[in-house]
Amino acid sequence: MMANVVGDEEKLAELLLYISQKCANDPTFGAVKLNKILCFSDFLFYAYNDRGITNVEYQKLPNGPAPRRLIPVRDKLIKNRDLAIQEVALKSGQTQKRTVNLRNPKLEIFDGAEIAMVDRVIESMPDVTAELASDISHNLVGWLVVNEGETIPYNTIYFANPPLTETEVYRARELAASKERPKGVKDAKRRDSRTA
């Protein structure tokens, strides 16, 4: 059961550095896209491995899911001079806040499958704007069934994308309230269809 798993803030910090490094040349990379890469990586890894990469809590925010402890973890990296924020004025008049790694991430704390998942997520999002990444994340069942500020349970990744039946929405809300794994999923082996 995921409820007893403790999030790994060291892994979150190192992923922040890794993603910033990998996306350094992506003109669409900013705070919103960073949050979505973290979320998609953690939740997709959970779907195939019954655990997240970081296992940190994600909360529902208006622009989509974000790690609950992202700001304190990011601020600690900035204080330690491991990370910086670069503000870029966009043509739209908005300001893009890009994280810039100031040191290499400690990849030895990850296994190969974890980094491979993050790489796949990053590679699937070239030229994806913050707005589009946010819109995509709004299709996650977990984001749909919890209220703003609430924790999005990892196990909601097992539910199909919308349109959901009323029964699916009801059951997903029950799971969000109880933090249980969906019935019949406990022992299920999930395979990546791209490698099957």
Side-chain angles (χ1 to χ4, degrees):
M1 182 188 294
M2 186 69 191
N4 297 332
V5 175
V6 177
D8 188 333
E9 289 189 6
E10 180 186 14
K11 277 189 165 182
L12 177 61
E14 296 305 319
L15 268 189
L16 226 160
L17 293 171
Y18 181 72
I19 293 166
S20 299
Q21 183 179 59
K22 290 284 287 191
C23 295
N25 295 321
D26 178 355
T28 65
F29 179 70
V32 172
K33 193 166 179 179
L34 169 67
N35 284 331
K36 302 318 159 251
I37 292 169
L38 286 165
C39 175
F40 296 150
S41 298
D42 254 336
F43 278 74
L44 289 171
F45 195 82
Y46 182 90
Y48 291 103
N49 299 281
D50 292 328
R51 66 175 178 86
I53 297 170
T54 67
N55 290 317
V56 298
E57 285 188 4
Y58 285 81
Q59 63 181 326
K60 179 178 181 171
L61 295 177
N63 286 334
R68 187 174 299 281
R69 298 266 312 143
L70 179 74
I71 301 301
V73 169
R74 183 197 68 192
D75 288 351
K76 183 177 178 184
L77 287 168
I78 292 170
K79 182 180 176 188
N80 293 339
R81 299 183 184 195
D82 294 327
L83 186 77
I85 302 291
Q86 176 187 26
E87 294 191 0
V88 178
L90 301 176
K91 292 178 185 176
S92 65
Q94 295 182 322
T95 301
Q96 180 187 64
K97 294 183 179 179
R98 297 175 59 91
T99 51
V100 179
N101 65 304
L102 301 177
R103 71 162 170 83
N104 288 325
K106 298 175 186 171
L107 296 180
E108 64 272 8
I109 69 171
F110 300 98
D111 66 40
E114 292 170 334
I115 292 300
M117 178 61 75
V118 177
D119 286 344
R120 272 192 286 195
V121 169
I122 291 170
E123 291 162 9
S124 74
M125 298 178 74
D127 305 320
V128 172
T129 64
E131 184 178 358
L132 180 56
S134 185
D135 288 347
I136 293 167
S137 73
H138 292 178
N139 289 322
L140 291 172
V141 173
W143 188 87
L144 292 169
V145 299
V146 300
N147 295 317
E148 192 170 321
E150 289 183 346
T151 298
I152 301 169
Y154 278 85
N155 58 14
T156 57
I157 195 66
Y158 292 121
F159 285 92
N161 283 341
L164 301 174
T165 66
E166 287 182 34
T167 303
E168 287 175 316
V169 170
Y170 178 77
R171 182 64 183 132
R173 286 187 175 142
E174 282 181 335
L175 284 170
S178 70
K179 310 283 192 253
E180 291 178 17
R181 178 183 302 275
K183 201 174 208 178
V185 172
K186 184 175 185 180
D187 298 317
K189 296 289 182 199
R190 302 188 64 81
R191 293 186 336 183
D192 186 338
S193 60
R194 293 172 291 193
T195 60

